[in-house]
Amino acid sequence: MGGPRFGVPIVIAEYDPAWPHMFEEERGRIYAACGRDVFVAFEHVGSTAVPGLAAKPVIDMSPCLRSIAGAAPLIPKLEALGYVYQKWTESPTPALSGEGTPFRRYFTKDVDGARRYQVHMVEAGHPWVRDQVLFRNYLRTHPETARDYADLKRRLAAEYNAGRTDKSNINVGYTDRKGEFVRAVLRRAREEIAPGEGAMPEGMQR
């Protein structure tokens, strides 16, 4: 189903070593459906990409294209794999608390009624994916910051779930409230890493 998610409880799970394997297997399915060469890079992003980090059990993936114009013929191929194209996210909407993400093609896939995969298709080198990779890599190499992030997520999830109604917005009630922490980590990461260094260390995951 398309559209924002309201009234959905936040589940923060302990790290599952199966998550990297789930990413690899799903990436393989996408390669088989779309062709490997259409992607410049294919990143595992989000908390499930950080070993040891508690997370929502959803595998976030960012396939990177030479041009976002190349996404159009890939949409039906992902839909054939069970993905739902969330076109609404590309336009301004209160549900996103912002201007939307016209630079991204966003897809979701549920398994047994639960969200399991999210695909964020962008152009290679776009600031969105560069920040995702930088944040991921910083948490991988700074376990104390990863622990702080896990603690924050558990606290925000508990607060959101305690006040949740069928009209509660997961983006505003949980996702957006992590923003200050994420921005602070990115500032520290940029101070530690020279410009251009480490932006895509796994980038050509082909």
Side-chain angles (χ1 to χ4, degrees):
M1 297 292 292
R5 302 176 77 202
F6 294 103
V8 180
I10 304 296
V11 176
I12 303 297
E14 293 303 313
Y15 180 77
D16 187 339
W19 288 339
H21 303 293
M22 291 172 64
F23 162 73
E24 292 170 2
E25 290 176 355
E26 193 67 11
R27 180 180 61 183
R29 295 185 188 100
I30 294 173
Y31 277 157
C34 298
R36 192 183 184 97
D37 291 339
V38 301
F39 303 112
V40 176
F42 204 124
E43 296 286 347
H44 184 188
V45 296
S47 293
T48 61
V50 180
L53 180 60
K56 291 187 293 182
V58 180
I59 309 299
D60 284 287
M61 300 171 285
S62 187
C64 300
L65 305 172
R66 292 171 182 83
S67 169
I68 197 63
L74 303 180
I75 292 171
K77 295 179 180 180
L78 286 177
E79 290 176 330
L81 293 177
Y83 283 90
V84 176
Y85 175 36
Q86 305 286 357
K87 184 176 175 57
W88 66 276
T89 63
E90 297 165 29
S91 303
T93 169
L96 285 178
S97 300
E99 299 178 354
T101 54
F103 58 85
R104 177 186 68 153
R105 302 295 177 265
Y106 175 51
F107 305 80
T108 61
K109 182 177 179 179
D110 293 358
V111 177
D112 295 329
R115 179 69 47 83
R116 281 295 173 264
Y117 300 96
Q118 298 183 141
V119 166
H120 313 266
M121 192 176 292
V122 298
E123 287 188 3
H126 190 280
W128 184 90
V129 71
R130 291 177 68 89
D131 281 350
Q132 290 287 324
V133 171
L134 186 59
F135 184 73
R136 177 199 70 193
N137 291 349
Y138 191 90
L139 294 186
R140 284 178 173 179
T141 56
H142 294 75
E144 69 288 350
T145 304
R147 285 193 295 270
D148 290 343
Y149 190 43
D151 290 343
L152 173 65
K153 290 193 294 180
R154 291 188 184 100
R155 184 171 70 253
L156 292 179
E159 293 174 3
Y160 173 86
N161 289 337
R164 180 175 57 90
T165 71
D166 60 357
K167 296 182 179 180
S168 296
N169 186 333
I170 188 173
N171 289 301
V172 176
Y174 172 76
T175 304
D176 285 357
R177 293 181 63 191
K178 298 185 297 180
E180 183 177 350
F181 182 94
V182 172
R183 288 188 291 271
V185 169
L186 286 173
R187 285 194 296 269
R188 294 201 299 270
R190 293 186 184 107
E191 290 170 358
E192 293 185 15
I193 300 176
E197 179 184 343
M200 284 276 188
E202 300 177 5
M204 311 320 268
Q205 291 189 40
R206 299 281 301 240

